[in-house]
Amino acid sequence: MSESAALELKLPPKVPGEKPGTGHMEEFNVNFARFLMRCNAECGELAEYNMAGQQTVLMSGPEAQEAFLKGLDKQLSRAAAYQAMVPVFGEGVIFDAPPERMKTQLKIQVDALRYQNMKSYAQVIAQEVEDWVAGWGDEGEMDFLDEFIRLTLHTACHCLLGADFRYKMTEEFKSLYHDLERGLQAIAFVDPYLQQPIFAARDKARARLQELISEIIAERRANADRQYGDALETFMSGTYKDGTHLSDNEITGLVIATMFAGHHTSSGTAAWTAVEFARNPEFTPEVLAEVQQVYAQGGELTFEALRELPKLERFIEEVLRLHPPLVLLMRRVIEDIDYKGTLIEAGKTVAISTYGSHRNPDYFPDPERFDPRRPQANTAQLMWAYIPFGGGPHKCAGNAFALMQLKSIFAALLPRYEFELVDAPESYQDDLSAMVLKPSSPCRLRYRRRQP
Ligand code: HEM
């Protein structure tokens, strides 16, 4: 945009309450979802806040969210906004790859989550859920967040790296994964290369994880005629335009990136779904009847059968409205933007808040009320207001996988057990202390075998 054209435009309103040096960072760190709602309430569709010097413009409302989500990479870059992920995914992987290579890597990642693999993933997940429930007995009490973190780590490893790896999964693997996760604290978004023990542990874990995954890759190359039906198989067979395969470093990066995209998003949603079933028992009979009908037809919970559970799906969609795991999506502005007469300058960050959008009473009346019977969000009016999976070119590649997994879990649990809250209903809150929203700990529920 020319300088004179830019001068004609307004600048986004600034959010009050900035502190010298740190800007709004402190308030953001206390509860960033609420902070973002304040930004929108006080400034409107565009609101500029300051994260220790990084000016960020929050874009709110369906129109602004659509413009954000449909933005082209050359204007609104995800890579520049998510540099904190580079040491975790690895050099040359996704956000650190040149645009053409990044495109191919993302395509190969999407391929691994497509229909052809989904049938075998559905079987794997059903088996994992059966193994998990087998030891429950008639009644008990447990922390469902911890349980779902464990279950979805098992399903993720199984679907990504195959049965051999999953059943040999070591404490070493879990602790490496944990070190990678710890490397993504808020400070990593300011500078992921600071001299800090958590970053040193992150880098050591990334290197060791590559050694472990390279061993599996080497073993598979030596047994080229075996079929696995897992994501690693798709990653290993994918090629760039010139026919070359991905390196071990790139394959490791895709495995990590897919785990990071899918693991806590799924475990947090599963835990919130269990809590909402316990907190809103009036909706259980209709969901249960639907699931029992599949079983009554002699059905197993195959991938096809799971697609036919609209009431359970609506219940999960309402969970995702109130508790969207990815609260904040970000991009870096590469070229100046004229958004309806306001200039958003290159170099700034833009962000949207799924959490705030899903609580906008203009689109979701009485927004704090859990109600799976709300009008479905697949209308033109609600499409860009209901955005738990994002939208546009970078819409979640794993949304079919995620819904299939959640339906598989609850279609197996609901006919067998009833759930009750252990603690006071208001003590189950959204925990926003990490990048991915989850229920606060402890997330205790009581379960009791359902009487026939
Ligand atoms: C309830 C569960 C999930 C939710 C709410 C969710 C949400 C999202 C959102 C909002 C985005 C867009 C991010 C952006 O625009 O910056 C995204 C991207 C992505 N998600 Fe998910 N996700 C979930 C589960 C999964 C699972 C299980 C997987 C994989 C197994 C997955 C893989 C991905 C990938 C690969 C992308 C990047 C797509 C691209 O860059 O083109 N997600 N997800």
Side-chain angles (χ1 to χ4, degrees):
M1 186 182 302
S2 73
E3 233 173 87
S4 59
L7 282 173
E8 305 272 298
L9 302 173
K10 299 180 287 194
L11 289 174
K14 295 209 176 208
V15 177
E18 201 169 317
K19 295 217 171 112
T22 52
H24 296 95
M25 193 141 177
E26 248 170 72
E27 186 183 348
F28 181 96
N29 281 342
V30 173
N31 182 330
F32 66 92
R34 294 280 155 195
F35 167 69
L36 298 173
M37 286 172 79
R38 173 170 93 75
C39 295
N40 176 221
E42 292 181 19
C43 299
E45 206 178 16
L46 300 181
E48 183 165 318
Y49 60 92
N50 174 353
M51 290 292 284
Q54 179 59 48
Q55 294 305 127
T56 305
V57 178
L58 177 70
M59 303 178 76
S60 304
E63 203 183 333
Q65 286 156 195
E66 179 178 0
F68 172 102
L69 289 167
K70 285 188 172 166
L72 300 175
D73 281 351
K74 65 179 174 79
Q75 278 181 318
L76 293 183
S77 162
R78 281 185 326 145
Y82 293 119
Q83 281 299 297
M85 311 305 284
V86 170
V88 178
F89 295 174
E91 278 174 30
V93 182
I94 308 189
F95 299 129
D96 191 46
E100 270 308 305
R101 282 180 91 82
M102 172 167 108
K103 229 164 130 184
T104 307
Q105 290 172 6
L106 286 174
K107 191 190 155 298
I108 294 171
Q109 190 183 32
V110 170
D111 277 348
L113 297 165
R114 267 192 213 285
Y115 187 78
Q116 77 271 11
N117 283 3
M118 207 61 97
K119 281 188 180 174
S120 77
Y121 297 156
Q123 280 174 352
V124 162
I125 290 169
Q127 186 57 51
E128 288 282 358
V129 175
E130 284 304 316
D131 293 348
W132 175 53
V133 176
W136 279 27
D138 286 341
E139 58 184 325
E141 187 186 299
M142 53 195 187
D143 188 311
F144 271 69
L145 180 61
D146 290 349
E147 289 291 321
F148 282 125
I149 288 175
R150 209 173 4 257
L151 175 70
T152 52
L153 183 64
H154 290 164
T155 57
C157 277
H158 205 150
C159 295
L160 278 164
L161 294 168
D164 292 352
F165 185 84
R166 149 70 181 100
Y167 290 114
K168 280 190 273 176
M169 202 161 108
T170 56
E171 287 308 313
E172 183 194 9
F173 174 81
K174 289 185 198 165
S175 110
L176 295 173
Y177 181 64
H178 179 70
D179 285 346
L180 281 183
E181 288 184 322
R182 287 204 323 138
L184 275 182
Q185 292 173 8
I187 184 74
F189 286 82
V190 178
D191 182 353
Y193 301 102
L194 292 170
Q195 295 288 321
Q196 296 233 351
I198 51 162
F199 293 160
R202 170 201 66 194
D203 297 343
K204 215 168 139 204
R206 172 65 179 72
R208 175 67 186 137
L209 211 56
Q210 185 165 327
E211 286 173 7
L212 292 178
I213 292 176
S214 294
E215 282 170 23
I216 319 176
I217 295 174
E219 208 177 297
R220 290 193 181 193
R221 286 199 182 116
N223 294 285
D225 44 348
R226 239 185 100 181
Q227 300 223 314
Y228 300 88
D230 56 25
L232 183 60
E233 185 167 51
T234 312
F235 296 161
M236 285 177 65
S237 60
T239 55
Y240 291 108
K241 270 199 189 126
D242 63 3
T244 53
H245 286 279
L246 274 61
S247 65
D248 286 10
N249 170 50
E250 290 164 334
I251 293 175
T252 303
L254 285 195
V255 169
I256 296 171
T258 314
M259 294 232 358
F260 269 68
H263 179 214
H264 287 291
T265 45
S266 299
S267 59
T269 307
W272 263 125
T273 305
V275 171
E276 295 296 11
F277 270 119
R279 204 149 61 168
N280 303 280
E282 67 276 25
F283 298 113
T284 305
E286 63 190 43
V287 179
L288 182 60
E290 178 185 75
V291 174
Q292 280 168 333
Q293 209 179 343
V294 173
Y295 287 117
Q297 287 161 352
E300 283 178 55
L301 289 177
T302 58
F303 180 52
E304 280 74 19
L306 286 168
R307 293 169 99 177
E308 300 300 320
L309 294 170
K311 292 219 158 63
L312 177 54
E313 192 161 322
R314 295 295 300 283
F315 193 95
I316 295 166
E317 282 168 0
E318 180 67 351
V319 171
L320 285 168
R321 183 184 69 80
L322 279 175
H323 315 289
L326 296 187
V327 171
L328 183 68
L329 310 184
M330 292 187 299
R331 310 280 188 261
R332 184 68 55 83
V333 183
I334 304 296
E335 293 168 5
D336 285 353
I337 303 175
D338 169 357
Y339 180 76
K340 299 201 302 192
T342 301
L343 171 68
I344 307 178
E345 289 157 299
K348 289 185 179 171
T349 298
V350 280
I352 61 173
S353 163
T354 56
Y355 191 93
S357 181
H358 294 174
R359 281 170 166 73
N360 183 337
D362 294 343
Y363 301 95
F364 306 100
D366 194 2
E368 294 293 341
R369 187 165 55 90
F370 183 87
D371 180 7
R373 296 180 191 144
R374 282 174 191 279
Q376 241 187 319
N378 57 1
T379 58
Q381 199 216 9
L382 290 180
M383 197 173 152
W384 299 100
Y386 180 78
I387 45 171
F389 292 108
H394 295 297
K395 183 171 179 177
C396 176
N399 74 337
F401 180 100
L403 286 175
M404 179 270 286
Q405 165 150 274
L406 290 161
K407 287 198 270 183
S408 181
I409 293 172
F410 287 93
L413 290 183
L414 286 179
R416 299 175 204 196
Y417 292 103
E418 297 174 298
F419 298 96
E420 257 175 40
L421 303 180
V422 170
D423 300 297
E426 61 283 2
S427 70
Y428 298 80
Q429 293 285 337
D430 288 316
D431 174 355
L432 291 151
S433 60
M435 268 185 72
V436 181
L437 175 151
K438 57 184 190 281
S440 51
S441 288
C443 178
R444 283 186 297 226
L445 296 180
R446 198 169 299 118
Y447 61 89
R448 194 165 295 120
R449 197 178 293 283
R450 200 176 281 285
Q451 296 307 318

